[in-house]
Amino acid sequence: MKGISTLLLTSVAFLCMQPVSAQTEIKISKLQWEQLADMNIARMGHRILPSGNDFVVIGGHTTGFAREQSAEIFKDGAWTLLPTPFYVHDGAGAVTMEDGRTLIFGGHGGDLGTGGGVTGIDIYDPSTESFVDGGHLLKGRAMCNGVQAGGKAFMMGDYWSSSAAITVDVWSDGSQSVLDATLSEAHWYPYLMPTSDKASFLVLGNIGKRSGLSTVDKVDANTGEITQITLDIFNEWLPVWPGEAADTPDYSIGEGRYLVVCQKADDDGTYGIVLVDANAETAKLLLTLPDIILEQTIAWSGYLIVNPAVSEAYVIKSVKISSDNFSYYIATIDYNAGTVKEIAYAPELPVCNIYAGLAIMADGRIMATGGSISGESNFDGHEKVFAFTPNGGEVIDVITGIENTRKATTTASAIYNLDGQQLPQLQRGLNVIRQGNGTVKKVIVK
């Protein structure tokens, strides 16, 4: 066994020569969660808006993929229906203005995600907990997003657009206009990233539209001029589709900087976090996410949400394990250090976060509202609401020596199991390496 131990140590040393970050340890903890009061109506594809310490959910579609024209507020531990919005918003955009009012705009024009784009705009006023008719977009949109810059709301993105000439609607004090210039690409739920002074913003596409991801539009909020910049990293790392839960504040870490979950091009399993600096017009890979946790392969294609109060971001992924249960993972990112701080894990939950509305609560927990109960359909929305505590649960494992070594080959490195048997490349996964001093080192390879 002495000879085998020597070979194992050589293998680990080789793997550590190809680090993806300086991180050497990740805690795996039990995910703490609580089921809160159900919403009055099953929803998916809805918008969730923080409103002080309360939360408002608007629209979406309910069971059977039928559009839902309603809104409700979570207050004092219970959900109460609000006055009915003026328009139906399933797959809508939202943007919060400087005075605290939020514009909810667009959505699909028919049930089952059909009917083109809706033009209607609702304005939610948190001071009155009611809606005002905000008029109409100049162009119908669905699966769209908005951003506040220069005191105006810019609204763009559309599932139904295929033309290269893509317009941007502008809302200012109740008047609507459209920019003379057009975006370079059609997008679904684009990432919108204002500079810290909000004089301009970047428009970044995602793999909902696979072409032109390295070409990023820059919009001048004062002149309306649109220019293009190139961020080469998005040729290698493809931004994932953020989904219905994504507003700009969800992935902003302040000072014009934003986090984007990306999938490595031509690779179905490697995911990472790219940091975009809108001020400097640059982007870089912040970290890669471990792809095997507790011997389960994780494709981190889920949501990212930021809690700037503690300088953390959370990547959330549910994995179906049976007809009624999901395993749930929340990776906590320390974005100042550029590391994965902790991964919280729950083995069995009757919920999936696909098409859910997510928000940070005042106590730092993550609220997840509705979504698909099966994780596989647009027809089975549910009314369940959960609150997840991303950190601080009982530690159930500590993974050390973590490197994502997808470039390792059988000729360049040797990996052994606990029985001293060398593993062929196709059997590689989470391998436990027993070192000469008796300690255990876990190495992720693919």
Side-chain angles (χ1 to χ4, degrees):
M1 290 297 293
K2 182 177 179 180
I4 292 175
S5 297
T6 302
L7 287 173
L8 295 178
L9 288 171
T10 302
S11 171
V12 172
F14 174 84
L15 294 173
C16 291
M17 288 169 61
Q18 301 186 68
V20 296
S21 72
Q23 184 164 8
T24 58
E25 178 178 297
I26 297 177
K27 290 191 297 183
I28 310 297
S29 63
K30 288 185 178 180
L31 176 60
Q32 302 175 78
W33 58 275
E34 176 186 2
Q35 187 166 354
L36 305 179
D38 289 352
M39 296 182 292
N40 290 282
I41 297 170
R43 300 178 190 272
M44 57 197 307
H46 54 287
R47 281 284 173 169
I48 181 168
L49 308 176
S51 180
N53 292 324
D54 308 324
F55 296 90
V56 174
V57 293
I58 301 166
H61 59 269
T62 191
T63 306
F65 213 155
R67 297 185 305 158
E68 180 57 46
Q69 187 175 356
S70 67
E72 49 191 302
I73 187 169
F74 183 76
K75 181 183 292 190
D76 300 325
W79 291 93
T80 303
L81 287 169
L82 291 171
T84 303
F86 289 83
Y87 305 98
V88 185
H89 301 291
D90 177 26
V95 55
T96 299
M97 304 302 291
E98 293 176 328
D99 61 8
R101 295 181 300 162
T102 297
L103 279 61
I104 305 95
F105 57 92
H108 295 293
D111 293 343
L112 310 179
T114 62
V118 167
T119 62
I121 303 171
D122 274 284
I123 304 173
Y124 177 71
D125 187 340
S127 66
T128 62
E129 296 182 358
S130 62
F131 295 91
V132 173
D133 188 341
H136 292 268
L137 299 165
L138 299 181
K139 177 186 183 302
R141 301 180 183 277
M143 297 167 67
C144 42
N145 256 346
V147 65
Q148 186 274 125
K152 296 172 284 190
F154 295 84
M155 297 167 281
M156 67 215 75
D158 184 21
Y159 175 79
W160 302 98
S161 290
S162 58
S163 169
I166 308 302
T167 60
V168 177
D169 276 285
V170 184
W171 187 96
S172 178
D173 295 326
S175 64
Q176 286 82 34
S177 61
V178 66
L179 295 185
D180 291 333
T182 57
L183 300 175
S184 60
E185 290 282 339
H187 296 299
W188 309 343
Y189 293 122
Y191 292 92
L192 305 177
M193 304 176 175
T195 55
S196 54
D197 60 5
K198 295 194 174 183
S200 63
F201 60 91
L202 304 183
V203 183
L204 173 64
N206 58 74
I207 57 176
K209 293 279 190 177
R210 288 185 177 271
S211 63
L213 294 181
S214 63
T215 299
V216 178
D217 288 300
K218 177 183 177 182
V219 182
D220 188 304
N222 297 312
T223 66
E225 180 183 6
I226 300 177
T227 57
Q228 280 75 50
I229 63 174
T230 300
L231 298 178
D232 288 332
I233 193 170
F234 293 120
N235 289 319
E236 179 182 2
W237 292 90
L238 308 179
V240 302
W241 181 19
E244 285 83 348
D247 301 335
T248 299
D250 286 344
Y251 45 92
S252 169
I253 61 174
E255 299 178 350
R257 298 175 301 154
Y258 302 86
L259 301 179
V260 182
V261 179
C262 294
Q263 177 182 344
K264 195 169 186 180
D266 302 320
D267 188 331
D268 291 335
T270 303
Y271 289 81
I273 308 295
V274 169
L275 172 63
V276 179
D277 187 329
N279 295 331
E281 300 178 9
T282 60
K284 66 177 182 180
L285 182 66
L286 182 66
L287 56 88
T288 57
L289 293 159
D291 56 357
I292 301 177
I293 303 299
L294 300 176
E295 302 189 54
Q296 186 170 47
T297 300
I298 306 298
W300 292 100
S301 56
Y303 297 107
L304 179 144
I305 188 168
V306 170
N307 185 352
V310 291
S311 298
E312 291 178 349
Y314 312 106
V315 185
I316 305 169
K317 180 66 177 180
S318 52
V319 179
K320 190 166 187 174
I321 57 176
S322 71
S323 59
D324 300 317
N325 290 291
F326 298 82
S327 54
Y328 217 83
Y329 296 84
I330 300 181
T332 297
I333 309 300
D334 180 337
Y335 53 76
N336 289 327
T339 58
V340 181
K341 177 179 177 181
E342 185 172 333
I343 296 176
Y345 164 70
E348 292 188 357
L349 280 175
V351 67
C352 178
N353 67 304
I354 294 177
Y355 305 117
L358 305 176
I360 297 291
M361 304 176 72
D363 59 8
R365 294 184 298 169
I366 300 170
M367 174 185 281
T369 59
S372 166
I373 196 69
S374 70
E376 298 176 341
S377 174
N378 258 309
F379 289 79
D380 60 355
H382 64 82
E383 67 282 350
K384 300 179 186 298
V385 179
F386 292 83
F388 299 104
T389 302
N391 301 317
E394 177 188 348
V395 176
I396 57 177
D397 200 1
V398 177
I399 299 179
T400 60
I402 292 180
E403 308 295 350
N404 190 325
T405 58
R406 290 181 173 276
K407 294 182 180 179
T409 66
T410 54
T411 57
S413 62
I415 304 297
Y416 295 80
N417 63 20
L418 286 178
D419 296 324
Q421 299 170 325
Q422 185 172 345
L423 300 177
Q425 187 172 6
L426 293 178
Q427 293 181 13
R428 292 181 181 185
L430 176 60
N431 298 287
V432 182
I433 308 301
R434 190 173 299 280
Q435 301 176 102
N437 61 5
T439 61
V440 169
K441 183 176 288 290
K442 297 179 182 179
V443 180
I444 297 174
V445 299
K446 192 71 172 179

